[in-house]
């Protein structure tokens, strides 16, 4: 049967685009569906401010009346013009095990790149660094966190057969939360606080937490700006992510450190794991999805590590000991027994050393792939 690729042009088709992997993986116990409403807003150029400096086209692959694949072709013009990376991105990539479907979808990405005089394509990635990215290459029998992708093993095989090569690699770890931190860690954290005149900032509610989101993003730029794949996040996009994720964050799970002048020099954000709750919600907050998410936020033995930022002036000076002390105290308070990291670039060794004293298991790997146009 012939393959037909159609561009998504209506909201009805966009919903089909979003729901396709939910159908593809409906019998897979590891796939975690997103919330459909959030995905609709993320891909809507009238609601997501990323479209102030980006364009995207969405495509569905059909065999007869059956959807057999999807892909988004994206150009982030800030990346192209400000960083001189002549790249067309592809994401929201899902497909049945038919390399010809993959070939036909990627041809659409190539066409968009050629039309705009770009030099190569890379994916799966999103609009920016805070979107889901990276093809799963290890950990197919692990449940992903709410901000990572899941895919079958054959995706990588398709890309390699079509001449793609590895662009970036990310690693993820899981570890058991100790009942008690070693006394030497506690003493060292206190020593560092005294030496550099640092203090912990706590947040009694989400409104107080919201006030420090902008400084957090500035600190992220400082922390990761040297990495080749990092694209700075514009202010309007920061507001979008703030509104998207703030309701999922329990302020107790945010560790923030300030210097003597009240300037933020480090922070870390963890969250209770929402993966199983999202599986139960199956893409919808109503009628019962909200309840599953609420229960996960209140009672959960697993947490996910989302973001960390450390001012370069304080990197390598033991500040992470303070972060970990605060973080593990919160975990013990809430009964969290297991911690899972989100993707960390394999080249970012300084972040990976954070876990070395806690017997981390590298349980997942993921990659992006690129190809010259």
């Amino acid at each position: 049967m012939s393959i037909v690729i159609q561009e998504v042009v209506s909201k009805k088709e966009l919903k089909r685009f979003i729901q396709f992997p939910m159908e593809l993986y409906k019998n897979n116990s590891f796939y975690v569906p997103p919330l459909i409403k959030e995905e609709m807003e993320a891909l809507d150029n009238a609601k997501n401010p990323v479209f102030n400096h980006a364009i995207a086209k969405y495509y569905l692959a059909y065999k007869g009346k059956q959807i057999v694949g999807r892909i988004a072709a994206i150009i982030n013009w800030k990346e192209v013009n400000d960083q001189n990376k002549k790249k067309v991105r592809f994401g929201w990539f899902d497909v049945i095990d038919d390399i010809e479907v993959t070939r036909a979808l990627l041809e659409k990405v190539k066409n968009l790149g050629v039309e705009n005089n770009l030099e190569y394509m890379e994916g799966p990635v999103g609009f920016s660094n805070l979107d889901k990215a990276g093809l799963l290459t290890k950990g197919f029998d692990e449940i992903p966190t709410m901000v990572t992708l899941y895919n079958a093993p054959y995706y990588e095989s398709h890309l390699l057969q079509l001449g793609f090569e590895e662009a970036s690699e990310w690693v993820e770890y899981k570890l058991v939360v100790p009942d008690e931190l070693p006394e030497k860690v506690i003493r060292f954290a206190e020593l560092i606080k005294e030496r550099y005149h640092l203090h912990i900032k706590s947040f009694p509610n989400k409104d107080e937490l919201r006030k420090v989101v902008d400084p957090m993003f500035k600190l992220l730029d400082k922390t990761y700006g040297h990495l080749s794949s990092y694209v700075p996040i514009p202010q309007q996009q920061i507001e979008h992510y703030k509104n998207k994720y703030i309701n999922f964050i329990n302020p107790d799970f945010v560790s923030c450190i300030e210097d003597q002048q009240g300037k933020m020099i480090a922070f870390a954000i963890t969250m209770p794991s929402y993966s199983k709750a999202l599986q139960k919600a199956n893409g919808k907050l109503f009628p019962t999805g909200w309840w599953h998410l609420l229960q996960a936020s209140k009672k959960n033995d697993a947490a996910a590590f989302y973001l960390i930022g450390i001012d370069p002036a304080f990197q390598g000076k033991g500040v992470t000991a303070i972060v970990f002390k605060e973080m593990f105290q919160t975990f013990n308070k809430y009964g969290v027994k297991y911690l899972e990291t989100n993707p960390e670039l394999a080249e970012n060794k300084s972040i990976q050393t954070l876990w070395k004293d806690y017997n981390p298991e590298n349980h997942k790997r993921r990659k992006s792939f690129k190809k010259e146009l």
Side-chain angles (χ1 to χ4, degrees), residues 53 76 78 82-83 128-129 221 225 229-234 237:
H53 60 267
N76 183 325
K78 283 189 71 67
D82 297 353
Q83 297 183 298
S128 73
N129 302 81
D221 283 346
S229 62
Y230 186 76
V231 181
I233 311 294
Q237 194 67 10

Side-chain angles (χ1 to χ4, degrees), residues 20-39:
F20 169 66
M22 298 170 68
E23 178 66 24
L24 182 64
Y25 293 110
K26 65 181 179 181
N27 297 318
N28 186 303
S29 60
F30 303 108
Y31 173 72
V32 175
L35 293 174
I36 295 170
K37 181 176 182 293
E38 283 195 354
E39 286 286 272

Side-chain angles (χ1 to χ4, degrees), residues 231-242:
V231 181
I233 311 294
Q235 184 60 41
Q236 286 182 306
Q237 194 67 10
I238 290 173
E239 294 299 321
H240 172 75
Y241 288 122
K242 189 188 302 185

Side-chain angles (χ1 to χ4, degrees), residues 301-345:
D301 67 351
F305 186 91
Y306 281 87
L307 285 175
I308 186 169
I310 302 175
D311 191 307
F314 285 89
Q315 291 177 12
K317 293 184 176 180
V319 171
T320 53
I322 307 173
V323 172
F324 272 73
K325 176 176 173 288
E326 295 298 312
M327 194 166 67
F328 283 119
Q329 285 177 341
T330 299
F331 291 162
N332 287 329
K333 173 184 174 181
Y334 281 85
V336 173
K337 301 297 182 184
Y338 308 97
L339 177 66
E340 181 171 13
T341 74
N342 274 296
E344 304 160 355
L345 279 167

Side-chain angles (χ1 to χ4, degrees), residues 13 33 37 60 68 73 132 137 187 208 252 254 261 299 301-303 319 322 324 333 335-336 342 355 369 371:
E13 291 169 339
K37 181 176 182 293
L60 286 167
V68 292
K132 297 178 182 181
T137 58
R187 287 200 307 268
E208 290 299 310
D252 283 353
V254 179
Q261 287 73 43
K299 188 177 180 181
D301 67 351
V319 171
I322 307 173
F324 272 73
K333 173 184 174 181
V336 173
N342 274 296
W355 320 113
F369 293 84
K371 184 179 181 181

